Amino acid sequence: MLKVENLTHIYPDGTVALRDVSFEVPDGEFLGIIGLSGSGKSTLLRCINRLLDPTEGKVIWNGVDLTELDQADLRKSRREIGMIFQHFNLVRRSSVMTNVLSGRLGYTAPSWSLINRFSRKDREKAVAVLERMGISNKAYNRADELSGGQQQRVGIARALMQDPKMILADEPVASLDPVLAHSILGALETLNKEDKITVLCSLHFLDLVQRYATRVVGLRDGRLVYSGSKEDVGKLSDQRFKDIYGEEAQRLDTD
Amino acid sequence: MTESNQSMTKTSPLQGLLSAFIPGLGQFVAGLRARGFYIFATVFTMGGLSVWTIAQRARFPDYGLSLGIFLRLSVQAAALLLFLLAAQRLLTRFILHDPVAQTFSGYGVGILYVLAVTYLTQSFLSLAAAGVETNQYHATTAVFAAAAMAALWIWQIGDAARVGGLSSQQPKPSIGSLIFIACVIIFILGYNITGINLPKAISEYQDTAILLPRMFWPWRNAFEYTQEFEEATQKIQAPCPAGDEGPPANSPDPDVAWVSATPTCGDLSERPITGGLMLGTELTITGGNFTPGQVVDILWNNPIGNAFRPRGMGPTEITIDLDGGFSTQLNIPDAVISASTAVGAQIHTLVVRQSSEEVFTGRLSQDMILALELMLQTIMIGLMATFFGIILAFPVSFLAARNLMAPVVSPLNRIVGSGIGLIAGVWAGGIITGQIANRLGGLAEAPIQIFLAGIFAVGMLGLLGFQSIGTLFTRLTNSLGAQGTGKVLTSLVLAALAAAPGYLLGIGFSRGIRSIVLGDEVAALQESTYAIAGALLLALVAALYGMLRRSGEGVKIGMAIYTVSRTIMNIVRSIEPLIWAIVASIWVGLGPFAGTMALTVHTIAALGKLYSEAIESIDQGPLEALQATGANRLQTIVYAVVPQILPPFISFTIYRWDINVRLSTIIGLVGGGGIGFVLIQWMRLYQYENVGIAVWLITITVATLDYVSSTIRERFV
């Protein structure tokens, strides 16, 4: 259960990226976050795991207010929250294996990390996760040798290594073509359904939201302007759509 | 000047008049404030430059005199320019009606002006040079600066009149011409100050002709040659008072080489101070039993035992006849010892030396061996300095990387903890060190290791202390609440912590600045007052900080560390390695250690900067991703930063290694060991062959290194 209460984030240059955003995400939900570029989607996701410190408001994750935690406790909480990124954020020069294993760092003693050592269990887990993502044959390739879709799978594998209860996905398919987009979102859907992992996923395309999300929130200029179930999204009128995406927005039917 | 025909019709004499008195004022009044200011600044600067150069030139103690000269010169130059411009105006108005001809007359005015100003130099020189050593460079600079200033002054009067007439439309100021004039002035000044003298460079080139061939092909000195000598001698007495017969002349020897002279007694040549040469007694020298066809040297061995080739006294290289004999004439050379000290008859020796062919032994000469050894030392200095530089620059570079340090915000309790921990550590370390040292026979006799152990103890205890004390402090403040009492308590602890450095600062201030101003004794009387004042001051600042800060807000310790380490690195880096070598050679004495130390210091700063810039340019994405997994700072650095910075690090390191070996070749010039150490000695002893060897070795090493380093860098990056 994730509860976001009155979240506000103001960047040091004075830009207000989030204004008083509140919503709840029950366990097992696939929450789609929609909104234009610059509407605060990324800021919202980063405030949840405190990659950015919120200026005001609370993020309550399973009863614990993440905004109040000190660094050591925050790291423990972050282990349960995986994150995947639009640009994958892999270490391009390291092997796929190392990238996947680095998802395990939160559970590894820092002194072991100095000599690049992971336990046998972690290594076996990494192999299993790569197998599940269908890229076990690329385990010892350098990360930048993989295609975009494969790199995003490595990103998901890295998040899976954390044994996450929730995954934050920051526009995970924005740099991929439509076919790959479906395959990546399909993978996330599987994790959501089979492993009961809560997914918070920001997306650009309304039809992808309609296809995958079980619930949707919409942001505009940092404000929460829409909140609805899967069915509501299906019936989203053009006027409502324009409320979220702005007056000039057009529906774009991708398939 | 070029736009004059455009606005000839409307001019404002008033503005021109204003500018005639204060340059730029007319423009300023007309509303072109920037233009006015530029003109004023330029005229003023050029005036200052010429006054300064005149002062330099004449080295007059009183400035007023040179100012007078300068004013007179400026007026002359300005009058000349006015005259020429007026002439040109008349010429173009009444005689030349062709625009091309008008342009050329403009050039003519310019050339005439320069020529006339050059001519003016003569009168100016005679004016300012009276009785003082002349220095033509500064004189010409001053003349041209003053002339340019006069030209600018006159031009801007016209300019002010013109822009004064253009009330509404305001043309862009012609900054270009101002910049051009400024460049010319700076060029003339620089040319003179650096003493560039091309004629000298051309006329005296032959001096290098002696040196360059010896340096360019020094290899004869690099190897050892053996040569055998066979010598025959004849004793000669000089001077020869009447009646003396001198030593007996040798008689021919049937077995070995011999030499004989007649007479064996004579007078020395003399070189009077007034010049010329008075030849001494002429000797007839005969010899035999030498190798036929070979060349023998005739040497003179004076009574002190110095053998030399007597020049100008007769042939000194004789080819032996086919029967092994020779015969020649030689005047007794002049004595090295002056006649007044060489009293009485003295015995000189005539030496005829037959040398065998030089035989190449296949061994290196002593100088070559020395050069090679020192070259090795040089390379090692470079290597060691790079090695230590890497080890120390690596951690420092992380502290100086903005992107890593900016987010480092430490909660107050950790900082308070480190403060208390450090103080506790110093205290405990001091006690432990003192105890151990006492057991070993007092502080003075204790070995250095004890103190190192003490420092280690300080560090460890401090580090161990701050975590737990920090936690304790948090508990304490939490139990009291973050507001009210808790806040007051926090402030009190902060104040207590700040008091110690404040106390030391107070003492430092008293001992340093006050004792310089007031003298040691007066300063010592109030030392404790100042120490307490310092402690109170810092404590007050800390307490205020504790009261005013928002609770829960961390201290931006990262940016503080970043700023401090960047500043230190920039300062250290801007001091040249040669200067560090001077410092190090005073510290640890002359030799390779000093050089290594100097280069290491500079390498840390230089590499630290390059490294930290490499860190700042990494892709932040992976860093963010690893933070999101719950990795701590150390882990993100190992897994997200290090893989990204490895290629640039290797590249920079090899680059620096390259630089270090180059630098270590010259660091010996100031006593830092390596080949530079002997290079400068050989240079001063005029042993240009050896200098050549050293230069060759340096060139070979550096070129090899250049090739190797570029190859390695290509492969890695």
Side-chain angles (χ1 to χ4, degrees):
Chain A
M1 178 81 170
L2 175 74
K3 220 156 110 186
V4 174
E5 288 178 5
N6 311 100
L7 204 61
T8 299
H9 182 81
I10 303 168
Y11 282 101
D13 64 356
T15 314
V16 184
L18 287 179
R19 295 169 206 258
D20 199 19
V21 173
S22 304
F23 59 89
E24 281 182 22
V25 189
D27 284 342
E29 196 95 73
F30 194 122
L31 180 79
I33 302 169
I34 54 176
L36 279 174
S37 299
S39 60
K41 303 189 296 291
S42 292
T43 309
L44 172 63
L45 289 173
R46 279 170 173 71
C47 280
I48 290 174
N49 65 357
R50 270 185 62 195
L51 285 179
L52 292 173
D53 274 318
T55 314
E56 265 167 52
K58 289 179 177 175
V59 177
I60 296 164
W61 166 242
N62 289 341
V64 180
D65 184 0
L66 296 183
T67 58
E68 288 288 308
L69 296 181
D70 66 9
Q71 286 293 319
D73 288 333
L74 175 65
R75 283 200 292 274
K76 283 200 181 102
S77 292
R78 275 178 178 168
R79 299 193 303 203
E80 301 177 345
I81 305 171
M83 189 160 188
I84 57 180
F85 302 84
Q86 176 183 354
H87 299 295
F88 325 131
N89 287 1
L90 304 179
V91 182
R92 298 167 60 83
R93 295 180 56 88
S94 297
S95 72
V96 169
M97 195 65 181
T98 309
N99 269 294
V100 173
L101 278 169
S102 65
R104 207 65 200 159
L105 286 174
Y107 297 92
T108 313
S111 42
W112 280 124
S113 301
L114 265 185
I115 53 165
N116 191 13
R117 194 178 144 83
F118 289 96
S119 70
R120 176 187 290 271
K121 251 168 95 181
D122 287 350
R123 293 179 170 276
E124 284 165 1
K125 187 178 170 67
V127 172
V129 167
L130 280 173
E131 198 118 347
R132 187 169 175 196
M133 287 290 119
I135 43 171
S136 54
N137 57 332
K138 302 279 185 192
Y140 293 100
N141 289 39
R142 257 172 64 153
D144 54 4
E145 292 169 359
L146 272 59
S147 69
Q150 288 170 330
Q151 288 196 32
Q152 193 58 290
R153 283 169 181 276
V154 178
I156 298 175
R158 176 173 64 193
L160 275 182
M161 288 298 286
Q162 293 171 235
D163 291 324
K165 299 199 177 72
M166 175 164 75
I167 287 182
L168 308 173
D170 183 19
E171 303 195 8
V173 297
S175 330
L176 302 174
D177 62 52
V179 180
L180 283 173
H182 278 293
S183 101
I184 293 296
L185 287 174
L188 282 178
E189 191 179 37
T190 318
L191 298 178
N192 177 244
K193 294 233 166 79
E194 291 179 3
D195 302 25
K196 305 288 174 223
I197 296 173
T198 311
V199 176
L200 268 69
C201 182
S202 63
L203 287 168
H204 260 333
F205 293 113
L206 199 56
D207 26 309
L208 288 178
V209 178
Q210 286 168 345
R211 161 73 184 79
Y212 292 102
T214 56
R215 226 167 62 80
V216 180
V217 292
L219 287 176
R220 187 178 170 187
D221 295 334
R223 287 181 212 281
L224 196 74
V225 291
Y226 179 80
S227 177
S229 66
K230 191 182 174 95
E231 291 71 35
D232 294 336
V233 178
K235 290 179 288 194
L236 203 62
S237 70
D238 275 11
Q239 190 47 53
R240 206 68 194 99
F241 177 66
K242 282 186 178 174
D243 282 347
I244 303 166
Y245 278 97
E247 284 303 319
E248 290 102 63
Q250 298 285 320
R251 244 178 219 275
L252 184 76
D253 290 313
T254 44
D255 356 17
Chain B
M1 273 186 251
T2 50
E3 311 156 17
S4 54
N5 48 352
Q6 178 195 338
S7 56
M8 200 88 84
T9 46
K10 282 170 105 187
T11 52
S12 159
L14 176 68
Q15 321 279 25
L17 198 66
L18 283 176
S19 273
F21 289 106
I22 297 172
L25 186 63
Q27 284 88 342
F28 195 83
V29 170
L32 296 171
R33 298 193 168 179
R35 189 190 186 98
F37 176 74
Y38 289 141
I39 288 171
F40 178 74
T42 315
V43 172
F44 199 75
T45 311
M46 274 194 282
L49 276 179
S50 24
V51 170
W52 175 64
T53 45
I54 289 171
Q56 280 269 323
R57 141 83 181 80
R59 297 189 203 286
F60 285 141
D62 53 333
Y63 220 67
L65 183 52
S66 35
L67 196 68
I69 295 165
F70 159 73
L71 283 177
R72 189 170 159 176
L73 185 80
S74 301
V75 169
Q76 281 188 25
L80 179 71
L81 186 68
L82 266 179
F83 169 73
L84 285 170
L85 286 176
Q88 193 220 10
R89 172 60 66 89
L90 288 174
L91 202 66
T92 50
R93 176 154 295 184
F94 297 113
I95 298 170
L96 304 166
H97 298 290
D98 181 16
V100 180
Q102 286 177 7
T103 314
F104 273 104
S105 75
Y107 284 125
V109 165
I111 292 167
L112 265 179
Y113 183 62
V114 170
L115 286 177
V117 160
T118 316
Y119 182 71
L120 257 177
T121 314
Q122 297 301 322
S123 61
F124 169 70
L125 263 178
S126 62
L127 196 71
V132 188
E133 183 188 329
T134 47
N135 184 337
Q136 209 152 349
Y137 297 131
H138 289 125
T140 41
T141 308
V143 167
F144 278 104
M149 196 205 75
L152 189 68
W153 196 309
I154 287 171
W155 169 77
Q156 60 90 28
I157 294 171
D159 182 67
R162 202 174 66 245
V163 297
L166 309 165
S167 51
S168 56
Q169 67 181 110
Q170 298 190 338
K172 286 232 162 197
S174 63
I175 299 294
S177 55
L178 292 186
I179 292 176
F180 177 74
I181 292 170
C183 285
V184 169
I185 296 293
I186 291 169
F187 177 80
I188 294 170
L189 206 58
Y191 193 91
N192 290 311
I193 286 175
T194 52
I196 292 171
N197 192 344
L198 286 179
K200 194 175 181 182
I202 293 161
S203 64
E204 295 183 12
Y205 79 97
Q206 66 265 44
D207 285 7
T208 58
I210 313 163
L211 157 110
L212 279 183
R214 292 170 70 189
M215 276 176 65
F216 184 71
W217 202 250
W219 300 117
R220 209 197 155 284
N221 259 31
F223 298 101
E224 210 171 78
Y225 292 85
T226 51
Q227 202 174 22
E228 280 164 15
F229 302 107
E230 195 171 357
E231 284 182 353
T233 57
Q234 165 68 57
K235 289 194 171 14
I236 310 281
Q237 182 194 326
C240 196
D244 271 18
E245 285 175 12
N250 292 333
S251 45
D253 192 310
D255 301 321
V256 292
W258 59 271
V259 62
S260 172
T262 42
T264 57
C265 180
D267 290 317
L268 294 168
S269 300
E270 273 183 59
R271 287 179 200 271
I273 303 168
T274 48
L277 171 66
M278 289 158 58
L279 285 174
T281 313
E282 190 181 65
L283 306 176
T284 305
I285 304 166
T286 49
N289 266 336
F290 291 96
T291 316
Q294 268 233 332
V295 175
V296 293
D297 295 315
I298 293 180
L299 304 173
W300 194 267
N301 204 348
N302 67 13
I304 335 169
N306 285 340
F308 60 94
R309 197 182 282 270
R311 289 181 202 278
M313 303 296 154
T316 55
E317 290 181 4
I318 313 268
T319 311
I320 303 295
D321 297 340
L322 287 176
D323 60 358
F326 74 94
S327 177
T328 184
Q329 262 81 38
L330 185 81
N331 296 89
I332 298 180
D334 51 321
V336 179
I337 313 158
S338 67
S340 60
T341 50
V343 181
Q346 294 183 327
I347 302 299
H348 299 245
T349 313
L350 174 75
V351 181
V352 177
R353 176 186 286 173
Q354 179 182 11
S355 335
S356 68
E357 288 281 305
E358 287 188 341
V359 182
F360 179 56
T361 57
R363 283 195 302 274
L364 296 172
S365 68
Q366 288 301 311
D367 288 336
M368 181 68 179
I369 291 170
L370 183 64
L372 282 174
E373 276 173 1
L374 285 172
M375 199 62 228
L376 183 71
Q377 194 185 64
T378 306
I379 297 171
M380 288 305 163
I381 291 174
L383 276 179
M384 292 314 285
T386 316
F387 177 73
F388 288 121
I390 298 167
I391 290 181
L392 294 166
F394 190 78
V396 171
S397 66
F398 285 90
L399 299 181
R402 193 188 192 100
N403 58 338
L404 294 186
M405 293 312 283
V408 178
V409 175
S410 187
L412 189 67
N413 63 41
R414 279 177 77 101
I415 295 191
V416 171
S418 351
I420 298 176
L422 201 70
I423 291 168
V426 169
W427 179 68
I431 286 182
I432 294 169
T433 315
Q435 285 294 322
I436 299 173
N438 274 340
R439 295 256 167 109
L440 292 168
L443 285 169
E445 277 84 36
I448 186 100
Q449 282 84 349
I450 296 302
F451 295 100
L452 290 178
I455 291 163
F456 183 69
V458 171
M460 285 312 290
L461 281 170
L463 277 178
L464 285 176
F466 84 82
Q467 280 274 6
S468 43
I469 296 172
T471 321
L472 211 69
F473 183 70
T474 316
R475 276 197 203 138
L476 206 65
T477 48
N478 282 354
S479 66
L480 292 163
Q483 301 295 322
T485 345
K487 204 160 194 175
V488 172
L489 187 76
T490 317
S491 308
L492 282 179
V493 175
L494 280 177
L497 277 175
Y503 189 82
L504 292 177
L505 276 178
I507 290 181
F509 176 75
S510 184
R511 286 196 191 158
I513 299 167
R514 285 190 73 243
S515 54
I516 290 170
V517 179
L518 301 172
D520 285 341
E521 286 174 16
V522 185
L525 281 176
Q526 292 171 333
E527 192 173 282
S528 57
T529 322
Y530 273 85
I532 291 166
L536 283 178
L537 198 71
L538 265 200
L540 192 71
V541 171
L544 270 179
Y545 172 75
M547 293 303 286
L548 292 177
R549 63 182 278 281
R550 286 169 58 190
S551 65
E553 186 184 296
V555 180
K556 285 187 177 162
I557 191 84
M559 282 312 284
I561 296 173
Y562 163 82
T563 314
V564 169
S565 49
R566 265 291 160 103
T567 312
I568 292 175
M569 276 202 305
N570 282 339
I571 293 171
V572 171
R573 202 165 42 89
S574 60
I575 299 171
E576 281 295 304
L578 279 182
I579 294 164
W580 283 118
I582 293 168
V583 176
S585 59
I586 291 165
W587 186 353
V588 295
L590 300 179
F593 182 39
T596 313
M597 229 163 115
L599 281 179
T600 306
V601 169
H602 198 259
T603 304
I604 295 169
L607 267 188
K609 181 166 189 288
L610 288 176
Y611 283 176
S612 55
E613 271 163 11
I615 295 172
E616 282 175 3
S617 65
I618 61 165
D619 177 11
Q620 293 283 316
L623 214 67
E624 192 183 32
L626 289 200
Q627 266 169 29
T629 67
N632 75 358
R633 193 163 280 130
L634 180 73
Q635 290 170 321
T636 40
I637 286 175
V638 173
Y639 283 90
V641 180
V642 171
Q644 292 194 63
I645 57 177
L646 224 47
F649 268 37
I650 291 171
S651 171
F652 288 142
T653 307
I654 293 168
Y655 172 64
R656 185 66 210 187
W657 171 52
D658 198 338
I659 291 177
N660 273 352
V661 176
R662 279 161 208 253
L663 282 177
S664 62
T665 58
I666 56 158
I667 207 128
L669 301 189
V670 292
I675 198 154
F677 203 57
V678 289
L679 178 65
I680 192 84
Q681 286 181 22
W682 283 333
M683 205 110 90
R684 284 173 184 157
L685 293 171
Y686 304 113
Q687 297 181 352
Y688 289 118
E689 281 88 0
N690 289 345
V691 170
I693 289 175
V695 171
W696 266 99
L697 287 181
I698 291 171
T699 313
I700 292 169
T701 312
V702 169
T704 314
L705 202 74
D706 217 31
Y707 174 74
V708 170
S709 76
S710 68
T711 314
I712 299 176
R713 278 204 283 171
E714 264 168 37
R715 198 158 297 175
F716 267 99
V717 186

